[in-house]
Amino acid sequence: MSKIYASMLSIGAYSPQKRLTNADLEKMVDTSEEWIVKRTGIKERRIAAENEAASDLGVVAAKKAIERAGLNASDIDMLIVATLSGDFLFMPSTAAVLAGKLGMKNIPAFDVLAACSGFIYALSSAKAYVESGMASNVLIVGAEASSRFMDYSDRSVCVLFGDGAGAAVIGATDDPSRAIVDVKISSDGTGWDNLFIEGGSKNPIREGKPHKPFMQMKGNETFKLAVRALTNDVIEILARNNLKASQIVHFIPHQANLRIIKAVGESLGLSDDQVVLTIDRYGNTSAASIPMAINDVYEEGRLKTGDLMLLDAFGGGLTWGSALARFGG
Ligand code: ACO
């Protein structure tokens, strides 16, 4: 019997209509277009409409991914959602809600919570389920309405994040030239207080008690940790697969900060045309950022079957990860 490989069969994404520009933010907090562009590379981000929760963004991306894989919703036998801004605080999972919206009944549906690394964590799970034969077509979705957890008086965080969703179908192939080559995921919980949102059992939200249910981040410290972890990670994943940076067609990193992306890209000696940048138009969309970026490359007609992609992400937890995948669509 030939070996089964997991493959990214398709990609889809959705970005909400409403734009929040740097000029808009200049009117809300003490910031400037110049500071935001120079320090982050962000020009604008999208914001979910009032009636759009994470699952509503995810449903549009998911339908596109299923259709582009040439499948129906009934062909999906597992749904994994990566989000830090799910529809509800812990229960039910956004995956369960999304499965309901997609008409998927009786399939396993669960969330992974790994902040901005969530899509790589979901990809890792999907790969394992498909390669073990426990699932045939896993839908993985990164969906974020993180604007709901922004304090729009805190300039150090609110200028960074935007909303959106991306989705991919991970199926089986016996063709290694279309396979997900490797996924590497890591965490270091001693750094949990670099990035967090309150409201859980550690400090539950209670009436009359001061609380801050907004994203809080030690930006500069996180920046340095991200550059170090990601640089080591991408070098290691290439080395353990005997691949060279020159073989990467698309380096598609999590879009948190242009300077982090450049530092990691330079450590590998990548050229500008290998590096995919969407941060200018979407900001940091957390778990949605990598699939949204893959989707942009796909819709620009630049993503071909068999193209080798290097993905990487760093986020709250702390968590980080990287993946090497040949596009299978
Ligand atoms: N506008 C103007 N000035 C600002 C702003 C702003 N929006 N925000 C901060 N500043 C000021 C600070 O107050 C500080 O002023 P001071 O020197 O007078 O004290 C100065 O700018 C420099 O602040 P730093 O925080 O040192 O700026 P830095 O260059 O580190 O950039 C940033 C901040 C953009 C947040 C960067 O540190 C970063 O991108 N960090 C990593 C983010 C990340 O990767 N997170 C992980 C993924 S997210 C997730 O998992 C949910």
Side-chain angles (χ1 to χ4, degrees), residues 1-326:
M1 214 176 81
S2 57
K3 181 171 164 33
I4 296 176
Y5 300 95
S7 174
M8 190 181 290
L9 302 181
S10 67
I11 192 77
Y14 171 70
S15 41
Q17 297 252 297
K18 189 180 165 192
R19 291 177 148 83
L20 180 67
T21 64
N22 292 344
D24 296 330
L25 283 159
E26 281 178 350
K27 291 179 206 139
M28 296 158 73
V29 282
D30 179 16
T31 191
S32 66
E33 160 89 12
E34 195 203 348
W35 190 96
I36 300 172
V37 172
K38 198 169 149 208
R39 299 288 182 118
T40 73
I42 303 168
K43 292 184 179 150
E44 62 177 32
R45 46 314 270 141
R46 301 296 183 92
I47 302 295
E50 262 179 43
N51 62 349
E52 284 177 324
S55 70
D56 299 300
L57 309 182
V59 81
V60 187
K63 281 181 179 168
K64 270 193 204 163
I66 294 167
E67 192 196 320
R68 286 174 178 169
L71 298 173
N72 296 309
S74 56
D75 299 315
I76 302 296
D77 55 3
M78 177 176 287
L79 170 58
I80 307 175
V81 173
T83 184
L84 59 71
S85 52
D87 291 22
F88 296 92
L89 189 64
F90 311 131
M91 185 175 74
S93 70
T94 301
V97 175
L98 182 54
K101 288 182 177 171
L102 290 165
M104 296 171 181
K105 286 212 175 108
N106 300 324
I107 63 159
F110 58 92
D111 289 357
V112 297
L113 182 45
C116 295
S117 317
F119 187 76
I120 305 232
Y121 269 66
L123 186 68
S124 166
S125 300
K127 178 178 186 292
Y129 274 107
V130 169
E131 290 182 353
S132 67
M134 287 174 71
S136 302
N137 292 305
V138 183
L139 175 65
I140 59 173
V141 180
E144 300 286 9
S146 48
S147 63
R148 301 273 151 73
F149 302 98
M150 287 301 120
D151 174 355
Y152 282 102
S153 65
D154 177 1
R155 69 177 183 174
S156 69
V157 182
C158 74
V159 302
L160 305 173
F161 289 87
D163 301 335
V169 176
I170 310 301
T173 181
D174 57 7
D175 179 357
S177 73
R178 294 172 176 227
I180 297 167
V181 180
D182 194 9
V183 186
K184 182 175 180 297
I185 50 175
S186 307
S187 72
D188 177 4
T190 62
W192 70 266
D193 60 345
N194 278 281
L195 261 168
F196 62 95
I197 303 174
E198 275 181 357
S201 54
K202 184 177 170 65
N203 191 12
I205 296 166
R206 297 266 189 272
E207 212 177 325
K209 184 178 145 199
H211 62 269
K212 209 178 169 209
F214 301 120
M215 196 179 302
Q216 300 179 54
M217 176 165 70
K218 293 181 192 164
N220 195 268
E221 208 170 308
T222 307
F223 183 98
K224 289 181 208 149
L225 291 167
V227 172
R228 201 177 315 135
L230 291 173
T231 303
N232 292 337
D233 221 46
V234 290
I235 290 171
E236 206 179 309
I237 197 169
L238 283 168
R240 79 184 192 186
N241 291 283
N242 294 315
L243 286 164
K244 293 196 283 284
S246 57
Q247 292 171 275
I248 298 161
V249 182
H250 305 290
F251 171 46
I252 309 182
H254 169 49
Q255 310 279 316
N257 188 309
L258 183 58
R259 290 180 293 142
I260 297 177
I261 296 171
K262 288 216 158 138
V264 178
E266 276 164 20
S267 75
L268 292 178
L270 298 178
S271 61
D272 286 353
D273 60 342
Q274 287 172 291
V275 181
V276 173
L277 295 174
T278 60
I279 188 163
D280 56 331
R281 48 193 183 271
Y282 304 130
N284 180 348
T285 56
S286 197
S289 104
I290 290 176
M292 286 173 76
I294 300 174
N295 182 72
D296 274 19
V297 182
Y298 177 82
E299 290 192 351
E300 287 159 14
R302 296 195 291 126
L303 184 58
K304 306 278 185 276
T305 307
D307 276 1
L308 182 64
M309 302 181 282
L310 171 63
L311 319 177
D312 80 24
F314 186 93
L318 299 167
T319 56
W320 63 97
S322 51
L324 281 164
R326 296 188 189 281

